[in-house]
Amino acid sequence: MAEQERMVEALLFASANPLSVAELAARLPHGCDAAQALAHLRSRYEGRGVHLVRVGDAYALRTAPDLGFLMQTERVETRKLSRAAIETLAIVAYHQPVTRAEIEEIRGVAVSRGTIDQLLELDWIRFGRRRMTPGRPITFVVTQEFLDHFGLESARDLPGLKELRQAGLLDSRPMPGRFDAADDEDAPTPKGQSELFDD
């Protein structure tokens, strides 16, 4: 197992992107247990300057959050997103899987092809499954790169309405005449839409 840990550690260290268990297993010699090696490696890195973190369904080595100040000498290229791209990205993140028509309905304006192309080029959104409705429209979902960039394990870790309101990003008053089930802990959970998609 110690040798398997070393191999997994080497693969994660050399990879520019997070690696899934399946990707690690495909590179390891036959008979190795990538999942078990990851579990051992994760515990071994606890309290160290580098942590083994989960990003969606993949794993990556990342600097411990409290040591981030040491990286200030790094030069980061910033690329500003347009307001349309930010709104579209937020809609995909919170409503995924979502079609272009649904994005346009939520935003109230047409979504230009350039906006979608920019988010696809950044690898923050990707094509999802086709909706089992007339026309079988394609859906969009966020990627592991999006989760990795914002330090999220999954899309469920996105801030909710309460957190956004506390941060001053949303009006703290509910919309007139609208009941927000997200603020009511006793509200029934919305029914999933998995039956609307094909595999």
Side-chain angles (χ1 to χ4, degrees):
M1 182 52 64
E3 186 63 20
Q4 292 181 40
E5 286 182 47
R6 290 182 66 239
M7 291 187 286
V8 168
E9 183 179 33
L11 288 169
L12 291 173
F13 179 78
S15 176
N17 300 310
L19 297 175
S20 67
V21 175
E23 290 170 326
L24 289 168
R27 293 175 178 263
L28 295 176
H30 180 70
C32 291
D33 189 340
Q36 189 176 1
L38 278 167
H40 284 282
L41 201 59
R42 195 170 193 176
S43 63
R44 190 181 301 276
Y45 272 103
E46 285 181 4
R48 304 294 299 266
V50 175
H51 291 172
L52 177 59
V53 299
R54 183 173 178 175
V55 181
D57 293 330
Y59 293 85
L61 292 173
R62 295 286 183 262
T63 303
D66 60 319
L67 299 179
F69 69 94
L70 296 172
M71 309 299 136
Q72 290 179 352
T73 55
E74 289 188 354
R75 186 172 182 177
V76 180
E77 180 183 351
T78 57
R79 183 175 176 182
K80 286 191 174 183
L81 291 178
S82 65
R83 181 185 177 104
I86 292 171
E87 290 176 357
T88 301
L89 180 62
I91 291 168
V92 173
Y94 280 95
H95 296 272
Q96 66 176 339
V98 62
T99 64
R100 180 190 294 267
E102 290 168 340
I103 294 171
E104 293 175 346
E105 183 180 352
I106 293 170
R107 287 193 65 223
V109 295
V111 178
S112 72
R113 183 168 185 172
T115 299
I116 295 290
D117 288 345
Q118 182 183 14
L119 295 174
L120 288 169
E121 182 184 335
L122 286 170
D123 208 14
W124 280 4
I125 67 171
R126 64 175 176 81
F127 296 114
R129 294 183 290 179
R130 289 189 176 274
R131 185 72 56 82
M132 293 295 288
T133 55
R136 299 190 61 206
I138 197 77
T139 61
F140 298 96
V141 296
V142 294
T143 63
Q144 288 191 3
E145 284 71 15
F146 168 84
L147 298 175
D148 190 24
H149 182 84
F150 290 100
L152 303 170
E153 184 172 323
S154 73
R156 291 188 298 273
D157 297 326
L158 286 164
L161 285 176
K162 289 181 181 178
E163 290 86 352
L164 292 173
R165 285 174 179 156
Q166 288 172 354
L169 299 174
L170 285 179
D171 192 342
S172 60
R173 296 170 297 167
M175 291 175 62
R178 180 170 178 176
F179 172 73
D180 197 340
D183 289 335
D184 185 1
E185 296 178 356
D186 298 325
T189 304
K191 184 180 178 183
Q193 296 183 348
S194 58
E195 68 275 6
L196 297 178
F197 300 92
D198 59 0
D199 292 327

